[in-house]
Every structure is written in C-alpha cells, then in structure tokens.
Amino acid sequence: MTMMLGAGDPPTVLPVAESAVADEPEALPQAVVDAGRSQPLRGCFVTGTDTEVGKTTVTAGLLHALARQGLRVAGYKPVAAGAVWQAAATGPDGHWHNEDVEALHAASSIELTRSEVCPCLLEEACAPHLAARLEGGRIEPALLIAGAHRLMPRCDVLVVEGAGGFCVPLVESQAFSEAPAVSDDTVAATPDTDWGTDDLAVALDLPVILVVGLRLGCINHALLTAEAVTARGLRLAGWVANRIEPTMPHAQLNIDTLARALQQRHDAPLLGVVSYHVPASAAAVAEELRIDAVLEALGLQG
C-alpha cells in the first residue's frame, strides 16, 4: 500500500482503492494548483550523487541554519521508502516511523504534521516505484506537488529533499497510465512515460543543491548529476561536500577538483564541507555551512 504518515492506523495491507494516497479526496485541489502558479515556490531542492550520501543530514542542517537567520522554514520529503510502525507508549495510537522524515520534522521551525512533511511514505526500504508496486499501491505525482504548495504560504523557505539520486524513478509508465489525469501545466509527463525525482524537481522549479558524498568515484558522480540537473533546465545553485568516509584518501584534493569544475561549468559554488559526524546533528551541520553563500545562492539576502 501507499501510506500516509500520522494516519494512526496499525500496519494493515490495503487494496489500492483504499490506500491513503490513491484514495485521498484532496489529492488534486485545483485551488492549490492555481495558487502555485501565481506564487512560485521559494527555497531549494536537495539531491545527491547517490543514496546514502547524507542528503537528509545536509537538508536538516540547511533548515537549522536558515531558521537561525530568522526565517520560517519547512522541510519536505515528498516520498520516503522504509518505515516501521511505532506504537505509542500507552493506548492504541502510534505512527509510521522513518528516520529521514523525523529529522526534517524536527529541524523545521514551523509546526508540521508528519504527513505534511512526507505525504507518501512506503513501508518497503527500496526504490520508491518498486516499493509502491510491492505494496500494491501507486505514487500520485499531483499529491507530491500539491503538498509543496500547501506548505509555502506558511513558511519563508521550503527545503525539499528528493529520494535517492536525481534520476530515481517514482512512477512506472503502466501505473502512471492508470493514475488520475493531471494538468500538463502541473506534471510535465505523458501517460506513456515514467515519472521520477527529476520530473518532480522540474515540476517544483526550485534551485537545486547537490550533496556530494565524498568517496571513491564521487567526482564522476557529481559531474554527471550536475549535467543531469542542468539538462532538465534547472539551476544548480551550489553543492555541499559531505565526508561520509572518515579516512577517505585525498578527500581535500577531490573537493578542490569539484570546486573548480562545478564553478566553471555550472557557476555552482561550494556551500560547505560537512565533517564526518556520528551521529550528525542539524546544529553541528549548520555550523559547517557557509550561510552567506547559501542565502546568496537561493536569492534570500535581505
């Protein structure tokens, strides 16, 4: 099933027609779509060179750093895969728990429900389109887009974290063809094509911040991802180097190479170098971000 965080129901496999995403009555609110056209989203879309490179760590750090500038910030992870049911200490209540969603929920400076932070949470810890297929549900693109526009009136900055790398599939073409019709102005996809994280980024039209996990191969992965971002017509606003391996050889040389290449090819500055932290707190990561460069990259000065 495709599930909604915070629904309060214990884990039960439901048919597609009864799943929270497929059956959400307000999944396509025209008023939200219309409002989104007149009020562009403000903030950034955080992507990574791969999965497990620290996107959530950096996203939470960005939220914390921006909140310290007096901005109302909201973290948004449209799709997350991998959840466990967490029962309440007393009584029958509980909620679905995903570490990424919890981190963004905690780092946001405005009050949000978990379902507002993540409108589509999947139980299986695998690629989202596969998790949806395994659970007999589907991901609704319009729900993900509408969720961002619902949050924007309540915050100054929306920080969106993608799932996995930049080109991770979210909807398979067969499932997409069975989904409700969506306005061409909202989702730039045809019924015969797949729809993925890159399409979501295009639909939200936010500047992109790239998280580079420092490990062997990161230069190639970073440059390829940067090319993919700009090929979709999006602006690469900057990048963050994240030390995910404490003893990576020649880490600084890798950072220097990428700093030159991404600045020259994409005018994308280095926004910070995050040290290896276990565990990594949003406050500690925020200290290592160049907040003035972040504000400039996202057009938030003054």
Side-chain angles (χ1 to χ4, degrees), residues 3-4 26-27 67 74 80 82 105 108 111 151 173 192 200 204 251 262 282:
M3 298 175 296
M4 295 283 286
E26 296 181 353
H105 183 258
S108 298
E111 186 174 347
L151 292 178
S173 57
D192 294 328
L200 175 60
L204 298 181
L262 292 174

Side-chain angles (χ1 to χ4, degrees), residues 84-96:
V84 295
W85 179 255
Q86 191 169 80
T90 60
D93 295 333
H95 67 271
W96 289 99

Side-chain angles (χ1 to χ4, degrees), residues 16-250:
V16 173
E18 297 178 18
S19 71
V21 172
D23 197 40
E24 173 66 26
E26 296 181 353
L28 296 168
Q30 191 59 45
V32 171
V33 175
D34 292 340
R37 291 172 182 159
S38 62
Q39 182 185 12
L41 299 176
R42 300 182 303 276
C44 61
F45 187 97
V46 180
T47 192
T49 46
D50 200 350
T51 190
E52 300 298 327
V53 295
K55 291 192 311 299
T56 301
T57 297
V58 172
T59 301
L62 282 167
L63 288 165
H64 192 87
L66 291 167
R68 291 198 310 196
Q69 301 301 304
L71 297 166
R72 298 173 302 155
V73 297
Y76 184 55
K77 189 172 179 76
V79 179
V84 295
W85 179 255
Q86 191 169 80
T90 60
D93 295 333
H95 67 271
W96 289 99
H97 178 90
N98 172 275
E99 290 185 357
D100 294 354
V101 176
E102 295 298 322
L104 269 57
H105 183 258
S108 298
S109 68
I110 65 172
E111 186 174 347
L112 298 170
T113 65
R114 290 181 176 86
S115 59
E116 287 177 318
V117 175
C118 180
C120 181
L121 179 62
L122 299 152
E123 183 176 1
E124 294 290 332
C126 61
H129 72 294
L130 297 178
R133 184 203 302 173
L134 291 170
E135 295 170 28
R138 63 188 179 188
I139 295 171
E140 300 289 359
L143 177 69
L144 311 184
I145 298 164
H149 287 287
R150 286 193 187 99
L151 292 178
M152 196 69 254
R154 296 161 52 193
C155 65
D156 301 311
V157 183
L158 182 68
V159 182
V160 183
E161 181 192 346
F166 184 64
C167 296
V168 168
L170 299 177
V171 182
E172 295 174 295
S173 57
Q174 181 178 1
F176 187 84
S177 67
E178 297 169 356
V182 179
S183 166
D184 290 339
D185 293 335
T186 304
V187 179
T190 64
D192 294 328
T193 63
D194 293 342
W195 198 86
T197 300
D198 52 339
D199 297 293
L200 175 60
V202 170
L204 298 181
D205 195 26
L206 287 166
V208 176
I209 291 179
L210 173 63
V211 178
V212 178
L214 294 178
R215 61 188 177 202
L216 186 63
C218 67
I219 293 176
N220 179 61
H221 292 162
L223 296 179
L224 285 175
T225 304
E227 291 292 339
V229 169
T230 55
R232 296 305 311 269
L234 296 169
R235 179 171 70 89
L236 184 62
W239 67 287
V240 175
N242 186 28
R243 294 181 180 270
I244 58 175
E245 294 183 356
T247 59
M248 178 192 178
H250 317 301

